[in-house]
Amino acid sequence: MKKYLFAILALLLVSIFAFAACGGNGDDPADQETDTGVETPVEPDPVDPDPVDPDPVDVERLERHLRLAFPLQHTIIFNPMVIGNEHETVRLLLSNLFYRVVCPDLEWPIFIKEMAADYPQQMDDEGLVWRLFVEPGWTFDDGTPINAHSFEFAIMWQNDPLLQNRNSGQNSIHGLPGWYMGQHGWDAVINGYYREFFDEEADEYVTEFMEPGFRIIDDYTFELRYYPQFRPQFGAVSVAEGFAGGGNAPIHPELWMRNLEEDGLSTSWGREPWYPYISPTGTHQAVQYITDQTFTFERRPGYIGPMNEWITADRITWTIAPDEATQTMLFETGEMDQAIANASRFDEYPGLYFVANGFVYGIFLNSLSEVHPILQDLDFRAAMYWSLDRERIVGMAFPTALPQSFLAPASARYRQADFLESGVWLNWRDSEYGRAVTVNGHPLTQNGFEPERALEYFNRAWEANGSVPIVMELIYSDAGEAQQMWAEAIQEAWQSLFGADRFSVTLRAVPTLVALEQHLQRHALDYDIVADRRVWMGIADEPARNTNWVATGHRHSWDTQYMILTEEAQIEHDRLIDIFDDANRHTVAHRNLRNSLGVELETVILNDHSFIPMYNHADRMRVQPWLQSIIPNGHYGLRLAPFQFVWDDALYAEMMGQ
């Protein structure tokens, strides 16, 4: 595993210069030299005694229609600054400097130039200042030019202090955290600002001038200056990645300002996919949107960018299919090209492949509940953590998932660059620091199931609560049989261990939208327990609002999907982040400090027990025979490449009757 991760690092470091290997930006893979020096004999074709010359497939006229499932039944938000699950969907509508594609030769994502004239250029020795270049000639649909000023407008508004957008880059460049937190104006970002911090060596406060974080060099060139602790980890690759998503794609100023609410606190932009200025000549445009049913994109006429060779579908239709049974039905009737196949009955099917997303899913406890004060008891919440046999519960409901009782890999974001030791890339969990994370003072285990310990914590909480019966409601998604099985397994685990006469759990299935938008909003917290697979969701009524439940008001608190509710944990979380921010300004010099802080941060989140980790999610998929997935089977690093498929045009034409 370690050797494999090191290989991944090497690929990342070279991938931005390796586009020729994938035929990127117009290079045809067929033109690459493949001579190995070994002559391969060519077998003659067998002679057909009665040859028939079939009509060749006219690929130029063949409409490739890719039909996918969208897993959630809710209002689609086309604002890339706030979307979570729809991110790749919206990305088709938007062009950015770079586009993230999966290179089948490298089996790793790379970033090709889309609107960029060149790859990011490092302008200093420390790797903190980077210059980016916009290719002249790109315009919005109405002909308005896209240039360096367009990117300034996008970055300024995506970090607007009143809107608190999800997909903003507020942690990275000089001045943006202050602008995002409302501490100073945009002029401080583009002109620089003074910063005061406590210097432990000098034992005094020091004031220093911080250089501008964003500078316009000329109409088609701009420059970014990153904070030392957020230095692009993989150099030009990381900088390109920051401009490969929809969240900081250029926005037409008229569109944005027209949809900004009068109070400046939210925007209605993105509620409909066909605003006239929504797309700076992206590959596709929206042609039909039927709420809660389907939405369809078609290839944009006259698209001149490089994505034609990577995304070859002419038409892409999503059908709302929130559960595995619906997807299976649509797949088997030929109405869908890809479907989840997690159930054991699919074990022997050909062509199955795994797609992992790397996020940790689990159970949410309302640790601020006034209805059930025992939920405020840390002993009770700790009992919930230690009482669950994750291997059994998760294996019953989600057999393709990886059961785990901790937060990594997502929690390793602060320090993953530090484990290149003796030529070996170490996983955070395998390092001395990762092993130092504890829950209630006990070492982590993969399963986290300690029934005797759980009973000890539960008995203390039970007695402190007056030894009266506890009845709570567990909410789960109604999106299919697996969700019901998952909820029932949790219910059975708690009631059998603690006794149904002491702790009784009732179940209620609700639409996923309700579970996420109604019950898990910080201003409401209208729930006891929620066990749901989804981690976040955009809010239809406030599409520009940040909805991460962990948000404590600190500029870094929305960087994790986990929930911290109790005041003590929030205070400690923000205190540690401030130390990280102020004392950890030099990556190498403060390596040990950063890693120690990582231990404390993860420990705080785990020991708050408002979020109980259960598993790292993965799905097993199948596709129709005329498609081949570009993703290597079981590759955790690639997540999704939902529009990249290799088509068998002849078989597709035959099956479609074309």
Side-chain angles (χ1 to χ4, degrees):
M1 179 64 178
K2 294 177 181 177
K3 180 179 179 181
Y4 179 63
L5 286 172
F6 181 58
I8 288 175
L9 170 62
L11 284 172
L12 271 173
L13 292 175
V14 303
S15 64
I16 202 163
F17 306 111
F19 301 117
C22 299
N25 284 358
D27 295 334
D28 189 343
D31 294 335
Q32 307 302 314
E33 293 184 5
T34 58
D35 186 8
T36 61
V38 179
E39 185 175 346
T40 303
V42 178
E43 296 290 338
D45 294 330
V47 177
D48 189 337
D50 186 18
V52 177
D53 186 16
D55 294 331
V57 176
D58 188 351
V59 176
E60 294 295 325
R61 299 184 60 185
L62 180 67
E63 182 190 66
R64 291 171 166 176
H65 187 181
L66 182 62
R67 301 158 308 165
L68 303 174
F70 201 80
L72 294 179
Q73 187 170 353
H74 66 92
T75 302
I76 306 301
I77 301 170
F78 291 88
N79 183 341
M81 294 184 181
V82 296
I83 46 78
N85 295 329
E86 306 93 334
H87 180 79
E88 292 293 341
T89 306
V90 176
R91 185 63 182 88
L92 285 178
L93 299 173
L94 300 159
S95 293
N96 210 330
L97 287 177
F98 301 94
Y99 201 109
R100 178 187 185 272
V101 297
V102 174
C103 173
D105 297 333
L106 294 176
E107 295 190 354
W108 192 251
I110 61 173
F111 301 94
I112 69 169
K113 293 180 291 184
E114 188 172 12
M115 291 199 296
D118 203 348
Y119 296 109
Q121 180 179 346
Q122 183 175 328
M123 304 303 295
D124 67 333
D125 295 335
E126 292 78 22
L128 301 178
V129 182
W130 291 84
R131 191 163 288 185
L132 294 106
F133 310 91
V134 185
E135 180 73 36
W138 285 84
T139 68
F140 292 98
D141 287 346
D142 68 341
T144 301
I146 297 173
N147 51 33
H149 302 280
S150 307
F151 284 91
E152 178 183 1
F153 184 87
I155 292 174
M156 177 178 67
W157 278 103
Q158 76 169 7
N159 290 282
D160 179 79
L162 297 177
L163 298 178
Q164 296 187 18
N165 297 314
R166 165 181 296 285
N167 291 332
S168 58
Q170 70 274 5
N171 294 341
S172 303
I173 72 174
H174 281 198
L176 272 185
W179 162 245
Y180 189 90
M181 296 299 293
Q183 297 169 353
H184 55 65
W186 180 252
D187 61 315
V189 179
I190 59 177
N191 297 320
Y193 66 101
Y194 286 94
R195 166 184 185 272
E196 185 180 62
F197 67 97
F198 186 76
D199 189 324
E200 292 184 352
E201 295 182 3
D203 195 28
E204 63 181 4
Y205 281 93
V206 176
T207 301
E208 67 175 349
F209 179 73
M210 302 296 287
E211 296 287 342
F214 184 98
R215 286 201 311 142
I216 296 287
I217 305 302
D218 59 45
D219 283 347
Y220 291 95
T221 309
F222 64 93
E223 199 170 83
L224 302 178
R225 179 180 291 272
Y226 293 85
Y227 287 109
Q229 63 267 34
F230 299 113
R231 168 188 287 108
Q233 184 176 350
F234 299 114
V237 176
S238 296
V239 178
E241 183 175 17
F243 287 88
N248 53 16
I251 311 166
H252 195 293
E254 181 181 334
L255 168 70
W256 182 261
M257 300 308 295
R258 185 180 64 194
N259 291 286
L260 192 66
E261 303 296 340
E262 291 185 6
D263 59 6
L265 299 178
S266 63
T267 174
S268 59
W269 178 62
R271 294 189 186 179
E272 298 290 343
W274 40 75
Y275 283 127
Y277 308 118
I278 194 170
S279 173
T281 59
T283 57
H284 290 68
Q285 60 187 1
V287 295
Q288 185 183 51
Y289 177 40
I290 303 176
T291 303
D292 294 337
Q293 296 183 42
T294 62
F295 52 109
T296 301
F297 293 167
E298 286 184 354
R299 184 169 297 281
R300 184 179 300 279
Y303 172 77
I304 60 172
M307 294 307 301
N308 280 324
E309 64 178 285
W310 296 95
I311 300 177
T312 57
D314 299 296
R315 174 183 287 256
I316 301 176
T317 296
W318 287 265
T319 299
I320 304 298
D323 58 78
E324 189 171 329
T326 303
Q327 291 188 30
T328 298
M329 179 191 69
L330 293 172
F331 184 90
E332 294 180 348
T333 57
E335 300 172 71
M336 189 170 290
D337 294 328
Q338 178 180 268
I340 294 175
N342 291 340
S344 59
R345 66 179 179 275
F346 297 116
D347 288 350
E348 304 303 320
Y349 276 58
L352 297 175
Y353 70 99
F354 288 88
V355 177
N357 66 14
F359 291 133
V360 180
Y361 296 78
I363 300 169
F364 300 89
L365 303 178
N366 185 356
S367 51
L368 302 183
S369 175
E370 298 291 340
V371 177
H372 298 291
I374 195 172
L375 279 167
Q376 300 180 29
D377 190 319
L378 190 57
D379 283 339
F380 180 80
R381 301 200 307 275
M384 302 296 98
Y385 173 90
W386 294 106
S387 64
L388 297 168
D389 185 344
R390 291 161 178 79
E391 291 183 2
R392 185 183 67 84
I393 295 172
V394 174
M396 289 171 57
F398 312 119
T400 58
L402 175 66
Q404 68 180 51
S405 65
F406 43 81
L407 307 183
S411 63
R413 62 176 294 277
Y414 293 109
R415 58 273 177 189
Q416 62 183 7
D418 296 332
F419 304 114
L420 187 59
E421 300 172 359
S422 303
V424 178
W425 177 270
L426 294 179
N427 182 280
W428 164 249
R429 187 57 55 205
D430 296 331
S431 72
E432 61 177 295
Y433 296 100
R435 291 193 298 269
V437 178
T438 60
V439 178
N440 304 119
H442 304 288
L444 288 173
T445 64
Q446 185 77 26
N447 194 19
F449 179 47
E450 300 285 348
E452 293 183 1
R453 185 172 298 144
L455 277 169
E456 177 185 346
Y457 283 109
F458 182 87
N459 289 336
R460 281 205 300 264
W462 163 263
E463 293 173 5
N465 195 53
S467 301
V468 297
I470 306 165
V471 180
M472 289 187 189
E473 181 182 69
L474 186 151
I475 296 170
Y476 68 96
S477 170
D478 65 356
E481 181 182 349
Q483 274 71 28
Q484 180 178 344
M485 189 180 303
W486 146 258
E488 290 174 348
I490 295 169
Q491 177 194 49
E492 190 275 333
W494 281 336
Q495 293 186 165
S496 63
L497 179 60
F498 303 129
D501 58 330
R502 296 202 296 170
F503 183 33
S504 177
V505 179
T506 62
L507 303 181
R508 180 161 64 98
V510 301
T512 302
L513 177 66
V514 174
L516 292 166
E517 292 192 3
Q518 181 173 331
H519 298 290
L520 289 179
Q521 290 305 295
R522 294 182 59 84
H523 61 270
L525 298 176
D526 181 22
Y527 69 98
D528 302 331
I529 306 167
V530 174
D532 196 89
R533 294 177 57 184
R534 300 297 165 187
V535 180
W536 62 61
M537 181 62 54
I539 304 302
D541 292 337
E542 300 176 278
R545 284 292 189 180
N546 182 308
T547 61
N548 283 7
W549 310 319
V550 75
T552 66
H554 191 281
R555 60 186 174 278
H556 290 292
S557 63
W558 42 81
D559 283 349
T560 172
Q561 79 257 34
Y562 312 113
M563 180 166 59
I564 304 174
L565 286 180
T566 56
E567 183 178 358
E568 297 83 355
Q570 291 183 27
I571 292 172
E572 182 65 7
H573 175 277
D574 293 351
R575 182 188 72 83
L576 292 168
I577 287 293
D578 281 331
I579 296 174
F580 174 84
D581 230 11
D582 293 333
N584 179 33
R585 300 179 61 246
H586 304 287
T587 302
V588 176
H590 292 85
R591 172 176 295 177
N592 291 336
L593 172 60
R594 180 173 61 261
N595 291 324
S596 297
L597 286 171
V599 173
E600 294 187 67
L601 281 165
E602 187 168 355
T603 301
V604 165
I605 298 174
L606 284 173
N607 285 272
D608 183 63
H609 292 306
S610 293
F611 171 79
I612 300 178
M614 290 293 287
Y615 63 93
N616 197 300
H617 184 64
D619 282 316
R620 187 170 61 180
M621 311 294 295
R622 58 177 176 159
V623 296
Q624 296 289 7
W626 53 83
L627 294 174
Q628 177 184 339
S629 171
I630 204 75
I631 304 176
N633 189 27
H635 199 306
Y636 267 74
L638 295 183
R639 296 184 61 190
L640 297 175
F643 314 122
Q644 278 187 261
F645 288 93
V646 177
W647 293 70
D648 184 329
D649 288 319
L651 181 58
Y652 175 68
E654 177 184 345
M655 299 298 292
M656 295 293 107
Q658 292 179 266

